[in-house]
Amino acid sequence: MCQLLGMNCNTPTDIVFSFEGFRRRGGLTDHHADGFGIAFFEGAGARVFLDVEPSAQSQVADFIRDYPLKSENVIAHIRKATQGGVSLANTHPFQREMWGRYWVFAHNGNLDGFAPPEGRHYRPVGCTDSERAFCFLLDTLRQRFDHEPPFVELYRLVSETVAWIRSHGTFNFILSNGKFMLAHCSTSLYYIVRQAPFTTAHLVDEDVSVDFADLTTSNDRVAVIATQPLTDNEVWTPFEANELKIFKYGAPLKTAPGIGKVAPVPPSGA
Amino acid sequence: MCQLLGMNCNTPTDIVFSFEGFRRRGGLTDHHADGFGIAFFEGAGARVFLDVEPSAQSQVADFIRDYPLKSENVIAHIRKATQGGVSLANTHPFQREMWGRYWVFAHNGNLDGFAPPEGRHYRPVGCTDSERAFCFLLDTLRQRFDHEPPFVELYRLVSETVAWIRSHGTFNFILSNGKFMLAHCSTSLYYIVRQAPFTTAHLVDEDVSVDFADLTTSNDRVAVIATQPLTDNEVWTPFEANELKIFKYGAPLKTAPGIGKVAPVPPSGA
């Protein structure tokens, strides 16, 4: 199992505070020591930093701390290997291009016996269940839509495909294309929305506080999503089981009731 | 126009010495100040570091200098924007997955009026001629072959496709899938193979020397490819115009005479 961290904002924001607590779970306050990665969208572009070292000790993670990149969509992951050895090819987040945009994905959980048919457009490079699931999800979308569809159609097909994938096991994930962030919970995922009036937050994993009022303007809004709450003096909202939430401009969007609870659709040929 | 740097080795090697001279051309000894990027393959995995800052001043480039990653295939690029503004999405090298492997590409040159048909599998995210050419090349390969073909068939189709692309302008490029490196010259590309007995090399762009005998074993072999020679006391071999060379295990492979001089094949539908 692994740990997930996502950030979706209405203005480019650095993730230094959240990442500093999160990275300690990679070998220091928790045992997810099999590599880590973090992806930052900047417009349509994306930078993905990966390392096979534990995030608590990684020089790449030190660099992220010392070089506060600002982004509207960030996905980070620290790994406890279940399927697939410790290697760069098996390190999340994974990235692919679809419909002329980058898509970035990270997964927490374990999918048993998940062997989808070979993708027409997307195939895994490493040997994790997670990358298989990501490629299968994108391939399903890409086979149905030659160009990016209206969001409601996209959301519906993601929901159906995710319902089939999660029938194989635990499938907590965060996915972004730089425009919005989709987060799905099987067993454990929390979020918080920070907006004016900003207050002081204190990390769970390290005795560090920050007063967001010093760092923000009154228009800023930031949603942070994590496997477990990162702060101990704020109220984090747990996802429901099998809930697929969309975040845009730093807040969750409302979706039609029941749209996330559709019947699972198996892949053609499966 | 831009500058290219490639390294292909028979054992994982760091690129610190070559990169240190090369990066100075990004804003210090030359005027390629519109961003830079460097990709390292590690097995099937790849890490791509990108920055929109000039490489001579970039903190990402400082990190690369201070954290000597070892790799058998490295591609670096410093950018002087011709088509497409300065942005992360327009920064080389570009990366895509094909046949379950990552492919990384960087281009020097300018393609006029190059507007290939929309890809079935690969589409550009940014707005450079370079990424269009990369996507078109991969799409052509992927449409012909559902799985990775024997190398001679792959090489022939790359040659044909490249011949069509270069009819639009200058197309110096380096491409790798982590197993081999392909380098094509329109106007300017040089390479050197370093192997035992190793000697001392001195950079063109900075008064720095290194004695490779101190850093290597007698079995090591490293090919370095660059737009312009990086050292002033070694013999660099220029590519011929329109030459497409394959590097594997640190040396160029011999190809059948004339195989790179086939007729250009336009895309279907073009």
Side-chain angles (χ1 to χ4, degrees), chain B residues 155-178:
Chain B
Y155 182 83
R156 183 171 290 279
L157 186 53
V158 171
S159 297
E160 291 171 357
T161 309
V162 165
W164 183 74
I165 296 172
R166 75 179 170 229
S167 70
H168 293 81
T170 312
F171 194 44
N172 306 294
F173 73 79
I174 304 179
L175 171 71
S176 180
N177 66 352

Side-chain angles (χ1 to χ4, degrees), chain A residues 177-222:
Chain A
N177 67 352
K179 293 194 293 187
F180 54 80
M181 187 165 276
L182 282 164
H184 176 261
C185 174
S186 280
T187 52
S188 184
L189 209 54
Y190 294 78
Y191 74 95
I192 189 169
V193 174
R194 296 193 182 114
Q195 56 194 335
F198 289 97
T199 56
T200 295
H202 179 265
L203 289 178
V204 172
D205 297 84
E206 195 173 5
D207 187 16
V208 170
S209 294
V210 67
D211 185 350
F212 288 113
D214 297 340
L215 306 171
T216 50
T217 74
S218 60
N219 295 323
D220 294 2
R221 193 171 58 189
V222 177

Side-chain angles (χ1 to χ4, degrees), chain A residues 238-255:
Chain A
F239 282 58
E240 291 178 34
N242 301 335
E243 190 178 12
L244 177 66
K245 272 186 133 37
I246 315 139
F247 292 83
K248 198 165 182 179
Y249 306 130
L253 301 186
K254 287 195 175 137
T255 53

Side-chain angles (χ1 to χ4, degrees), chain B residues 12 25 44 57 86 103 117 119 123 178 180 184 186 248:
Chain B
R25 298 177 183 182
Q57 287 92 35
V86 178
W103 294 72
R123 297 179 190 166
F180 53 80
H184 176 262
S186 280
K248 197 165 183 180

Side-chain angles (χ1 to χ4, degrees), chain A residues 5 18 21-22 25 202-205 224 226 228-232 236:
Chain A
L5 169 63
S18 296
F22 181 72
R25 298 177 183 182
H202 179 265
L203 289 178
V204 172
D205 297 84
V224 178
Q228 293 292 330
L230 290 163
T231 55
D232 53 18
W236 291 69

Side-chain angles (χ1 to χ4, degrees), chain B residues 7-257:
Chain B
M7 184 177 76
N8 168 268
C9 321
N10 69 350
T11 189
T13 304
D14 81 62
I15 198 169
V16 168
F17 174 73
S18 296
F19 183 68
E20 193 52 28
F22 181 72
R23 67 176 286 203
R24 293 172 67 87
R25 298 177 183 182
L28 211 58
T29 59
D30 210 338
H31 54 200
H32 307 86
D34 297 330
F36 91 102
I38 185 166
F40 300 84
F41 278 96
E42 290 171 50
R47 320 194 204 210
V48 184
F49 296 88
L50 303 172
D51 204 1
V52 293
E53 299 298 318
S55 57
Q57 287 92 35
S58 158
Q59 289 186 62
V60 180
D62 289 348
F63 173 73
I64 302 298
R65 176 195 61 205
D66 298 338
Y67 189 52
L69 293 165
K70 294 198 171 193
S71 169
E72 292 171 8
N73 286 284
V74 178
I75 295 177
H77 182 271
I78 49 180
R79 183 160 185 246
K80 172 88 179 84
T82 48
Q83 295 184 35
V86 178
S87 74
L88 206 61
N90 289 339
T91 304
H92 311 219
F94 302 103
Q95 180 187 5
R96 295 289 188 277
E97 169 266 312
M98 178 168 66
W99 304 318
R101 285 198 76 92
Y102 294 120
W103 294 72
V104 169
F105 171 91
H107 168 221
N108 153 283
N110 192 41
L111 301 168
D112 286 322
F114 179 67
E118 184 176 67
R120 266 187 230 165
H121 300 275
Y122 304 99
R123 297 179 190 166
V125 173
C127 48
T128 62
D129 51 339
S130 309
E131 194 189 11
R132 278 199 299 280
F134 176 44
C135 289
F136 173 70
L137 176 58
L138 292 192
D139 222 84
T140 303
L141 294 168
R142 183 61 189 78
Q143 286 192 36
R144 177 80 65 90
F145 302 111
D146 193 41
H147 296 91
E148 185 170 344
F151 184 78
V152 66
E153 292 184 47
L154 176 74
Y155 182 83
R156 183 171 290 279
L157 186 53
V158 171
S159 297
E160 291 171 357
T161 309
V162 165
W164 183 74
I165 296 172
R166 75 179 170 229
S167 70
H168 293 81
T170 312
F171 194 44
N172 306 294
F173 73 79
I174 304 179
L175 171 71
S176 180
N177 66 352
K179 293 194 292 188
F180 53 80
M181 187 165 277
L182 283 164
H184 176 262
C185 175
S186 280
T187 53
S188 185
L189 209 55
Y190 294 78
Y191 74 95
I192 189 169
V193 174
R194 296 194 181 113
Q195 56 193 334
F198 289 97
T199 55
T200 295
H202 179 264
L203 290 178
V204 173
D205 297 84
E206 194 173 6
D207 187 16
V208 170
S209 294
V210 67
D211 185 351
F212 287 112
D214 296 341
L215 306 171
T216 50
T217 74
S218 60
N219 295 322
D220 293 2
R221 193 171 58 190
V222 177
V224 178
I225 306 160
T227 298
Q228 293 292 330
L230 291 163
T231 58
D232 53 18
N233 65 334
E234 298 178 297
V235 178
W236 291 69
T237 305
F239 282 58
E240 291 177 36
N242 300 335
E243 190 178 13
L244 177 67
K245 272 187 135 32
I246 314 140
F247 293 82
K248 197 165 183 180
Y249 306 131
L253 301 185
K254 286 195 176 140
T255 53

Side-chain angles (χ1 to χ4, degrees), chain A residues 42-116:
Chain A
E42 290 172 47
R47 323 195 202 210
V48 184
F49 296 88
L50 303 172
D51 203 2
V52 293
E53 300 298 319
S55 57
Q57 286 93 36
S58 158
Q59 289 185 60
V60 180
D62 289 346
F63 173 73
I64 302 298
R65 176 195 60 204
D66 298 338
Y67 189 50
L69 293 165
K70 295 200 170 191
S71 170
E72 292 170 8
N73 286 283
V74 178
I75 295 178
H77 182 271
I78 49 180
R79 183 160 185 246
K80 171 88 179 81
T82 49
Q83 296 184 35
V86 179
S87 74
L88 205 60
N90 289 340
T91 304
H92 310 219
F94 302 103
Q95 180 187 5
R96 294 290 187 277
E97 169 265 312
M98 178 168 66
W99 304 316
R101 286 198 76 92
Y102 294 121
W103 293 71
V104 168
F105 171 91
H107 168 220
N108 154 283
N110 192 42
L111 301 169
D112 286 321
F114 178 67

